[in-house]
Amino acid sequence: MPTAFRAAAALIALCVSTVLASAQSLPKEVATRAEIYPIPSLTLSDQQFLSGDAAAAKPVTVAGEFRVAQGTGKLPVVVLMHGSSGVGATTEAWVHAFNAMGISTFVIDGFTGRGLTVVGPNQALLGRLNLIIDTYRSLDILAKHPRVDPDRIVLMGFSRGGQATLYASLERFNKLWNKSGVQFAAYIPFYPDCSTTYVGDSDVAARPIRIFHGTPDDYNPVKSCKAFVERLKTAGRDVVLTEYPDSAHGFDSGLLGVNTVAVSANAQTVRNCHIKEGDGGVLMNGETNAPFTYKDACVELNPHVGGNPTTAAESRKAVEEFLQALFKLS
């Protein structure tokens, strides 16, 4: 063997052993690998979504970051869907928590590919149901990945993403738009908006739904979620709503040490709206019986957002314990 070849082989062996050694000493919350995926999706109106009209939708490519947790073989995954401000710092805290448990994560960015950064001050920039399409398309990608257990993929979302997570559980929506051949193993919405009533919305997938919300939330009030949860329970569904006192909208930012509450300037809230699906998939204002728009009188501005480190930690512990049992982690 030529000397130069032996030297190169030795160098490669040294590099490999160094990488393996460093990998073995990684903190638990650090993933072993990150992969960025284009997600072929659609941008469509709520009426197009509800009527299943894919032909009139605009094709779009959004993105997802997949972090492979430490471990071997096919691992469980939590898919995370952001709220009206896009992927934020709090998402990273959840990613680290799950990766530390040996759970891989897939963080969806449903905004950048659509030319958006935030929609809080103008929710009409994107239909309320678009992010559901993104979650289903992500499920299709993950179910085929060699390091993913397709039976252990959970969907988790926050605010607008929590709304998408909650309603992605509807059997009707799965039949219309989920072409992956698999279903999410559970749904974990954080402070979602539950003010809209869809046709057949008590017929959800036979999977657990775990909602986490704050009592003083004036962005997406917990009251409407309580009413929806009662309807789901009456229908015999596996749903639990956990409510935390002194916890504003976005209370889990307390995982980053945030302990203040402030006005989300000019953000739109439908906290006093009653929206229902009408004929032909048109969303109607329940008070006026006219098609709903964000110019309706029930739409208000300036709700509050903020963190609570104590209840953020409690919610993280509750989610971790739920996933540990669901995924049968040791």
Side-chain angles (χ1 to χ4, degrees):
M1 180 184 294
T3 303
F5 186 85
R6 286 199 300 269
L11 180 60
I12 292 172
L14 176 62
C15 290
V16 170
S17 62
T18 301
V19 168
L20 290 174
S22 62
Q24 290 170 354
S25 62
L26 284 175
K28 288 184 178 181
E29 68 272 13
V30 176
T32 59
R33 180 177 175 81
E35 301 171 352
I36 307 298
Y37 283 88
I39 305 169
S41 192
L42 301 170
T43 298
L44 69 179
S45 69
D46 292 327
Q47 184 176 7
Q48 289 168 339
F49 180 98
L50 292 167
S51 60
D53 186 6
K58 177 183 176 182
V60 66
T61 300
V62 295
E65 184 197 47
F66 181 45
R67 295 195 199 177
V68 183
Q70 296 177 43
T72 58
K74 293 179 178 289
L75 300 175
V77 181
V78 173
V79 175
L80 297 111
M81 176 52 82
H82 61 77
S84 296
S85 295
V87 179
T90 307
T91 303
E92 191 73 5
W94 284 107
V95 167
H96 284 173
F98 298 141
N99 288 168
M101 297 175 67
I103 301 170
S104 299
T105 52
F106 191 85
V107 176
I108 302 172
D109 175 5
F111 279 2
T112 304
R114 293 187 170 99
L116 301 170
T117 53
V118 298
V119 299
N122 185 4
Q123 294 284 358
L125 288 172
L126 186 67
R128 298 165 66 81
L129 301 168
N130 275 263
L131 300 183
I132 296 178
I133 300 279
D134 299 348
T135 67
Y136 290 156
R137 296 295 177 88
S138 300
L139 185 60
D140 189 36
I141 291 169
L142 290 168
K144 300 170 183 174
H145 197 287
R147 294 299 312 280
V148 173
D149 181 348
D151 295 323
R152 293 192 295 168
I153 306 174
V154 161
L155 179 60
M156 181 178 185
F158 309 87
S159 193
R160 184 186 255 253
Q163 171 186 278
T165 297
L166 179 60
Y167 294 112
S169 69
L170 269 62
E171 288 283 23
R172 173 188 166 202
F173 294 170
N174 271 280
K175 290 175 182 176
L176 277 175
W177 298 107
N178 182 4
K179 309 303 180 183
S180 68
V182 297
Q183 285 192 340
F184 288 109
Y187 302 85
I188 308 177
F190 265 63
Y191 35 87
D193 168 33
C194 306
S195 64
T196 305
T197 302
Y198 297 101
V199 173
D201 63 5
S202 60
D203 184 14
V204 297
R207 302 288 193 275
I209 300 173
R210 298 294 181 266
I211 305 171
F212 295 84
H213 223 306
T215 302
D217 192 321
D218 64 355
Y219 205 139
N220 293 335
V222 69
K223 181 180 179 181
S224 61
C225 289
K226 286 182 175 179
F228 185 39
V229 165
E230 287 309 309
R231 289 199 292 117
L232 291 177
K233 286 183 176 179
T234 299
R237 308 306 179 186
D238 181 4
V239 57
V240 176
L241 168 62
T242 302
E243 183 180 349
Y244 295 103
D246 303 319
S247 299
H249 195 75
F251 69 88
D252 58 320
S253 64
L255 295 175
L256 303 175
V258 177
N259 61 0
T260 56
V261 176
V263 170
S264 182
N266 299 315
Q268 294 175 318
T269 167
V270 294
R271 60 192 174 202
N272 289 318
C273 299
H274 301 283
I275 307 168
K276 60 182 180 180
E277 182 183 351
D279 294 339
V282 178
L283 291 182
M284 307 293 290
N285 185 318
E287 301 298 328
T288 64
N289 288 319
F292 170 80
T293 77
Y294 283 98
K295 295 180 180 178
D296 288 0
C298 65
V299 178
E300 298 182 350
L301 303 178
N302 302 320
H304 293 80
V305 296
N308 182 321
T310 299
T311 56
E314 290 176 6
S315 68
R316 179 178 59 191
K317 184 173 184 288
V319 170
E320 289 173 344
E321 290 177 348
F322 169 70
L323 292 177
Q324 191 166 30
L326 180 74
F327 291 152
K328 297 180 172 58
L329 302 176
S330 56

